[in-house]
Amino acid sequence: MRSRFCAFASENVDYLLNSWDLKTRPKTLDLSKDQSQWQRLEILNTKKGSSKDKKGLVEFKAYFLLDNKEHYMHEISRFQKTANSWFYLDGAAKAISHTETKKQDPNVPSKNSPCPCGSGKKYKRCCGA
């Protein structure tokens, strides 16, 4: 999954097509009109996909900039292993959205900062819960 994200970010069409399963692979892939600037990948969940498995699922969010606004694509992708290599089968988009940038109130600690009450816990596990 990470290698395919990098291939999208660098517009490496050959890699994308070569890592796509023959049953579902398109004949061509044109990324030249895509104005997205891929920023980062967040793997949310995996199911199977180990060296002993033949199939696997990856749930992820891929973040990108478009028109100077951050967006994300939330997808669950299916992969299949053939001859010891993983190939992308298909994916189901759960959401494609614009992310709102929230300004942090300087008077409220971030969720992972130490709690100001002095408990030694993170704010989210103490007073921020």
Side-chain angles (χ1 to χ4, degrees):
M1 184 65 238
R2 294 183 202 289
S3 65
R4 287 183 56 82
F5 174 81
C6 291
F8 268 105
S10 62
E11 297 182 10
N12 186 344
V13 173
D14 289 338
Y15 181 84
L16 290 167
L17 289 173
N18 289 330
S19 62
W20 210 312
D21 189 89
L22 290 173
K23 293 179 285 234
T24 58
R25 177 173 53 196
K27 291 182 186 202
T28 61
L29 185 61
D30 183 9
L31 299 179
S32 65
K33 295 176 184 153
D34 183 9
Q35 299 296 313
S36 304
Q37 296 174 344
W38 296 97
Q39 301 294 301
R40 70 185 189 280
L41 176 69
E42 180 183 357
I43 303 293
L44 302 174
N45 193 15
T46 60
K47 186 175 180 183
K48 296 193 176 185
S50 73
S51 60
K52 297 177 184 177
D53 295 317
K54 299 262 189 227
K55 295 181 179 179
L57 292 174
V58 178
E59 180 178 2
F60 68 91
K61 282 186 179 179
Y63 294 85
F64 60 96
L65 290 178
L66 183 62
D67 298 328
N68 293 322
K69 293 180 183 172
E70 187 175 65
H71 300 264
Y72 69 88
M73 179 179 64
H74 185 179
E75 181 177 304
I76 297 176
S77 293
R78 294 187 318 147
F79 290 85
Q80 182 169 321
K81 188 170 24 173
T82 305
N84 269 351
S85 294
W86 286 99
F87 293 91
Y88 173 78
L89 279 172
D90 56 24
K94 292 186 80 169
I96 298 175
S97 180
H98 168 68
T99 59
E100 293 294 328
T101 305
K102 295 179 183 175
K103 293 197 176 197
Q104 178 71 26
D105 183 343
N107 298 319
V108 177
S110 68
K111 63 182 180 178
N112 287 317
S113 64
C115 192
C117 75
S119 67
K121 296 179 181 179
K122 289 184 178 182
Y123 178 69
K124 69 180 177 185
R125 301 268 185 228
C126 193
C127 296

